[in-house]
């Protein structure tokens, strides 16, 4: 909950508060994009991050970036490295009933996906914000607290990791971009904001293998033993997923068991064998979603995973974080530079249209991926019907492609 930074509770000798138009909490894709948009508009801001720069530049997570997001990054001068180094994907492949089924989404829509690992994007965004645009970013901060969000004089305070002193940043607005485990979401009063939740009741063992991709596209294995996925991350690294029970212990998945299951669930007639490699990341993600509505309270505006978590079933989370960040950066810049509050007032609603659309698609896709392994013949049958429809109905295929690529004209 937000609280007032009483001077009496500040450490003696603590630096006196300074005023900043915007404080951004969290340096993930959302926070760094907001920071870059603000710097480009000439708005001063401070970004606070609990981890080190080295840590956030290496933390592996997403890889699929939608084409509209790349175009938006490019328009803002943030996509030079991405456009040079990212892979362009035009198809994906479903494997079920022992067969391979290519899904040519670019042919259907004229749009494609980019594959660019999240740590590379974060590295580019930090470099641009801090080194090129001269933005203020403070790493390793501790115990971030928000104060007086209902007032016209909010502030954010944190403990300096070296001195242990509490610093207070007075500001006009706070951008809460601190992800699913941050503190800003908790500052929304429960009687003003509602959190809608959904639990899929399944886990995914998320793996990174030191192995070249075994296909030129993303693979989805829909199998009675559970879902399996294959996604290139670079020439020598591939992300794999294996459906498992929620809360499963990753140590129960030694190298041999992982590769045996991947071969089985991704196996199909005529498919080249998977190239095995050392597993450099192995963790279990419980598949669940939440959405906070509205995504704002007083002077606090949430963006990205702080406001909504979408399980990585349809690779949408980072794309939503970028979408929020473009809208929030522009809205804050309009307010701070021109006193125009209209975009800030409509911010939450404008984000939530795309958020709910992506949540619905993830839920639909979850049933396709997980239905056949439920042991329930009815759910297995309807999941297969959904899958087959993609390859028998051009209208269903086009609708799927639009959602997969996030290209619906109006969100
Ligand atoms: P984050 O990236 O979580 O950034 C929040 C930042 O805030 C972090 O740096 C954190 O250290 C910092 N922080 C936390 N607490 C505080 C605090 N109190 N004070 C200050 N800083 C704080 N999405 C896709 O679009 N495509 C994909 O292919 C995809 N694959 C994924 C695969 C996996 C295995 C996982 C886990 C996620 C995947 N996602 C994918 C989701 C995507 O990674 C997230 O949605 C994305 O990171 C959200 O960005 P964000 O900036 O909102 O939050």
């Amino acid at each position: 909950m937000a609280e007032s930074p009483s001077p009496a509770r500040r450490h003696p000798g603590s630096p006196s508060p300074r005023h900043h138009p915007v404080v951004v909490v969290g340096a993930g894709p959302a926070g760094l994009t907001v920071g870059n948009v603000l710097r480009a508009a000439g708005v001063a801001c401070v970004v606070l991050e609990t981890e080190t720069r080295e840590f956030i530049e290496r933390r592996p997570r997403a890889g699929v970036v939608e084409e509209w997001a790349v175009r938006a990054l490019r328009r803002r001068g943030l996509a030079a490295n991405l456009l040079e180094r990212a892979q362009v994907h035009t198809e994906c492949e479903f494997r079920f009933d022992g067969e391979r089924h290519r899904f040519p989404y670019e042919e259907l829509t004229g749009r494609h996906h980019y594959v660019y690992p999240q740590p590379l994007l974060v590295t580019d965004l930090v470099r641009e914000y801090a080194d090129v645009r001269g933005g203020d970013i403070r790493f390793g901060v501790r115990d971030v607290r928000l104060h007086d969000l209902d007032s016209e004089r909010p502030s954010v305070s944190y403990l300096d990791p070296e001195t242990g002193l509490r610093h207070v940043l007075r500001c006009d607005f706070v951008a809460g971009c601190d992800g699913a485990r941050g503190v800003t979401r908790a500052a929304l009063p429960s009687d003003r904001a509602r959190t809608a939740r959904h639990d899929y009741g399944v886990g995914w063992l998320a793996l990174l293998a030191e192995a070249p991709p075994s296909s030129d596209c993303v693979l989805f294995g829909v199998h009675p033993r559970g879902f399996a996925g294959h996604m290139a991350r670079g020439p020598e690294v591939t992300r794999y997923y294996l459906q498992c029970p929620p809360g499963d212990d990753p140590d129960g998945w030694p190298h041999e068991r992982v590769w045996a299951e991947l071969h089985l669930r991704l196996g199909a007639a005529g498919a080249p064998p998977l190239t095995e490699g050392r597993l450099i990341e192995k963790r279990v993600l419980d598949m669940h979603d939440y959405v906070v509505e509205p995504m704002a309270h007083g002077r606090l505006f949430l963006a990205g995973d702080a406001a909504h978590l979408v399980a990585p079933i349809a690779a949408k989370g980072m794309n939503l974080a970028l979408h929020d960040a473009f809208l929030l950066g522009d809205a804050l810049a309009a307010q701070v530079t021109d006193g125009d509050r209209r975009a800030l007032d409509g911010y939450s609603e404008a984000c939530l249209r795309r958020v709910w659309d992506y949540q619905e698609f993830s839920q639909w896709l979850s049933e396709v991926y997980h239905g056949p392994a439920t042991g329930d013949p009815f759910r297995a049958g309807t999941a297969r019907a959904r899958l087959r429809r993609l390859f028998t109905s051009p209208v269903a295929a086009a609708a799927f492609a639009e959602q997969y690529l996030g290209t619906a004209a109006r969100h």
Side-chain angles (χ1 to χ4, degrees), residues 88-102:
V88 170
H89 281 209
T90 59
E91 302 185 309
C92 58
E93 184 173 308
F94 290 88
R95 295 183 175 176
F96 59 98
D97 296 340
E99 304 280 343
R100 307 166 68 184
H101 302 266
R102 280 262 161 166

Side-chain angles (χ1 to χ4, degrees), residues 108-123:
L108 292 164
T109 62
R111 300 285 184 211
H112 51 261
H113 266 157
Y114 289 86
V115 172
Y116 193 60
Q118 184 167 335
L120 295 186
L121 181 63
V122 166
T123 301

Side-chain angles (χ1 to χ4, degrees), residues 20-216:
H20 305 267
V22 182
V23 173
V24 179
V25 184
L32 291 166
T33 303
V34 170
N36 273 299
V37 171
L38 292 173
R39 292 297 298 165
V43 175
C45 60
V46 181
V47 178
L48 299 178
E49 167 59 50
T50 44
E51 302 291 350
T52 63
R53 180 168 181 167
E54 295 67 36
F55 182 87
I56 65 165
E57 289 182 347
R58 281 205 303 264
R59 181 170 47 200
R61 279 189 183 170
V64 175
V65 195
E66 296 178 347
E67 194 187 331
W68 63 263
V70 172
R71 273 188 271 119
L73 287 166
R74 185 174 57 189
R75 274 199 303 279
R76 292 158 191 278
L78 299 171
N81 286 343
L82 186 157
L83 289 166
E84 204 174 294
R85 296 203 238 148
Q87 295 174 21
V88 170
H89 281 209
T90 59
E91 302 185 309
C92 58
E93 184 173 308
F94 290 88
R95 295 183 175 176
F96 59 98
D97 296 340
E99 304 280 343
R100 307 166 68 184
H101 302 266
R102 280 262 161 166
F103 187 83
Y105 49 81
E106 190 184 57
E107 217 172 278
L108 292 164
T109 62
R111 300 285 184 211
H112 51 261
H113 266 157
Y114 289 86
V115 172
Y116 193 60
Q118 184 167 335
L120 295 186
L121 181 63
V122 166
T123 301
D124 296 346
L125 293 173
V126 177
R127 202 185 134 268
E128 186 66 28
Y129 175 77
D131 306 339
V132 179
R133 300 185 186 182
D136 183 345
I137 182 163
R138 303 180 190 181
F139 290 102
V141 300
R142 295 276 163 263
D143 193 20
V144 173
R145 296 183 189 184
L146 313 184
H147 313 275
D148 304 323
L149 296 168
D150 275 325
S151 78
E152 292 191 350
R153 294 268 172 275
S155 62
V156 179
S157 70
Y158 66 92
L159 290 183
D160 183 307
E162 280 167 21
T163 62
L165 296 184
R166 181 160 292 278
H167 290 249
V168 179
L169 306 173
R170 295 210 187 287
C171 56
D172 296 319
F173 297 97
V174 181
C177 305
D178 48 347
R181 296 198 176 89
V183 294
T184 60
R185 190 170 61 255
L188 269 71
S190 55
D191 59 341
R192 303 271 186 85
R194 181 189 70 179
T195 304
R197 298 180 188 279
H198 179 68
D199 189 346
Y200 292 97
V202 299
W204 278 15
L205 182 67
L207 303 152
L208 273 181
E210 242 173 21
S214 298
S215 166
D216 59 354

